[in-house]
Amino acid sequence: DAKTTQPTSMDCAEGRAANLPCNHSTISGNEYVYWYRQIHSQGPQYIIHGLKNNETNEMASLIITEDRKSSTLILPHATLRDTAVYYCIVRPTNAGGTSYGKLTFGQGTILTVHP
Amino acid sequence: GAVVSQHPSWVICKSGTSVKIECRSLDFQATTMFWYRQFPKQSLMLMATSNEGSKATYEQGVEKDKFLINHASLTLSTLTVTSAHPEDSSFYICSARPNPGQGGIDTQYFGPGTRLTVL
C-alpha cells in the first residue's frame, strides 16, 4: 500500500481556511486519496476522496497535484467543531480478494481550531 | 444515509469473561465489514476483515481464536473478545462498505465505537 506523510499537528483560527497537506509520493496510478477525520472518542467520518481531479463537496475541497504525489484538504471556514484528527489514506484498488477496500490509518494530523 | 451502529457503546467486564460487540449497517447492505482497535493516543489498527458467509481475514498478529468474528447477514457483524484480559481494554470500531449498486460513495462508513474496559 502507498504510504502517506502528514504533519503531526496544525492550528487554525475559527473562520479561516484550514489547509491540511498530505504527501503520498509512492501512490500508484489507480489508487484513490481518501480523507477521514476522527473527533475525540468517536468513529472516523468520511470527508472526501479523489483520483486526479480536484474535488469539492459540502464539507471540504481536495486539491491533488498534477503528479499525484501530494494533496491538500481544505476546510474553507473552519469552526471549533472541526477540531479533530485528520487522516489522509491511499486506498488500494485491488478488485479481488476478501480485503478489497481496506484502509490503513497513519497517525494523521491533529487540527486544533482556536476561537 | 449510510449509518453504522455499534452496541454496546461501552462495556466493563471481569477478566476471563467474553464480550460480544455488534456492528450493524442500518440503511445499506454490506458484504464486507471491518473491525479496528484503537489504544489511547494511537491510530486505528485494522484487526480483521469480515465477509458475509465466509471466514474473516485477520491481520498479522491478531489472534483469530481470541477475537471471534461472525458475519451472518448483510447488515450485521459481531466481534467476540474471548477470555478478555486487561490488555484487551481498548476502543473497538467497526466499519461497513456498502455493496455495489446501492448508490452513494464507495468507501467505509464507521460506527461510533465501543469502549471495552476489562478489570
Side-chain angles (χ1 to χ4, degrees):
Chain A
D1 300 355
K3 294 183 178 179
T4 62
T5 304
Q6 298 177 252
T8 302
S9 64
M10 295 183 65
D11 289 339
C12 178
E14 189 177 21
R16 303 297 294 269
N19 298 284
L20 291 86
C22 179
N23 181 286
H24 33 78
S25 58
T26 60
I27 191 171
S28 298
N30 58 351
E31 289 182 312
Y32 285 81
V33 179
Y34 279 77
W35 283 83
Y36 292 81
R37 72 180 182 184
Q38 185 179 25
I39 295 171
H40 183 62
S41 293
Q42 297 182 23
Q45 176 189 23
Y46 165 83
I47 301 174
I48 199 168
H49 77 286
L51 181 63
K52 296 180 184 178
N53 301 322
N54 298 337
E55 302 288 345
T56 296
N57 61 21
E58 64 279 4
M59 289 184 68
S61 294
L62 175 60
I63 308 298
I64 303 175
T65 58
E66 192 170 341
D67 63 7
R68 302 187 70 240
K69 293 185 177 182
S70 65
S71 61
T72 301
L73 178 74
I74 301 173
L75 307 178
H77 305 287
T79 70
L80 298 179
R81 289 177 294 180
D82 292 322
T83 293
V85 181
Y86 287 76
Y87 297 99
C88 168
I89 300 171
V90 174
R91 198 194 82 175
T93 58
N94 49 308
T98 55
S99 297
Y100 176 40
K102 74 177 186 178
L103 302 172
T104 301
F105 284 79
Q107 294 305 307
T109 296
I110 301 170
L111 175 67
T112 303
V113 181
H114 297 287
Chain B
V3 178
V4 176
S5 69
Q6 280 186 242
H7 179 79
S9 55
W10 60 270
V11 56
I12 301 173
C13 70
K14 293 182 178 180
S15 185
T17 61
S18 295
V19 175
K20 179 185 286 188
I21 302 170
E22 293 185 349
C23 177
R24 294 182 185 272
S25 55
L26 299 185
D27 49 5
F28 63 94
Q29 294 183 331
T31 297
T32 304
M33 293 185 176
F34 302 87
W35 286 96
Y36 297 81
R37 179 168 55 181
Q38 186 174 34
F39 292 108
K41 297 189 185 301
Q42 295 187 22
S43 187
L44 285 77
M45 292 294 294
L46 179 65
M47 299 176 66
T49 303
S50 171
N51 299 288
E52 187 268 338
S54 65
K55 291 182 179 180
T57 303
Y58 290 82
E59 295 299 301
Q60 190 173 8
V62 178
E63 301 174 59
K64 62 180 181 181
D65 294 331
K66 180 170 182 61
F67 299 98
L68 301 180
I69 292 172
N70 184 277
H71 193 155
S73 79
L74 292 176
T75 59
L76 173 64
S77 176
T78 61
L79 169 69
T80 301
V81 183
T82 63
S83 186
H85 290 285
E87 57 265 32
D88 298 322
S89 298
S90 187
F91 192 48
Y92 291 86
I93 306 169
C94 74
S95 69
R97 181 172 171 266
N99 287 352
Q102 298 183 85
I105 299 162
D106 182 17
T107 186
Q108 293 180 29
Y109 294 95
F110 288 81
T114 297
R115 187 158 305 279
L116 170 64
T117 301
V118 184
L119 302 177

